[in-house]
Amino acid sequence: MQDSVTSLNELPFPVIAAVHGYCIGAGVDLISACDIRLASSDAIFSVESQGRLVADLGSLQRCQDHWRSHMAELAFTGKDITAERASQSVW
């Protein structure tokens, strides 16, 4: 499964993710492999944490922009992040 997500990251052209509504678990992994992420105002990002263990397909390592700190927040707290919060830099 990780190879499938990584294949998006290796394409020779820009890949744009459009998010509307909930983006949960593998959806977050999928958009992390994209070059540009656009979200509607009602988008909510979340990862599934079963007993504080987060299944990750390379999301934390893949993100190179300010989204990385949001990914860490998702992984460590398990809280949802709204589109408004995701658009803000936390540095």
Side-chain angles (χ1 to χ4, degrees), residues 1-80:
M1 182 112 169
Q2 189 169 11
D3 288 343
S4 297
V5 174
T6 300
S7 68
L8 284 175
N9 196 244
E10 296 173 345
L11 290 171
F13 48 83
V15 178
I16 301 171
V19 180
H20 173 69
Y22 281 91
C23 183
I24 303 173
V28 172
D29 291 319
L30 188 66
I31 67 168
S32 73
C34 297
D35 299 299
I36 299 170
R37 291 169 292 280
L38 302 172
S40 63
S41 61
D42 68 340
I44 297 175
F45 304 91
S46 183
V47 295
E48 300 132 345
S49 58
Q50 304 268 330
R52 295 289 153 210
L53 178 64
V54 178
D56 179 44
L57 296 175
S59 302
L60 295 172
Q61 298 82 3
R62 213 174 262 116
C63 288
Q64 299 299 318
D65 51 17
H66 81 272
W67 180 245
R68 179 183 293 192
S69 55
H70 292 302
M71 290 296 299
E73 182 179 348
L74 285 170
F76 291 128
T77 68
K79 295 180 181 178
D80 294 347

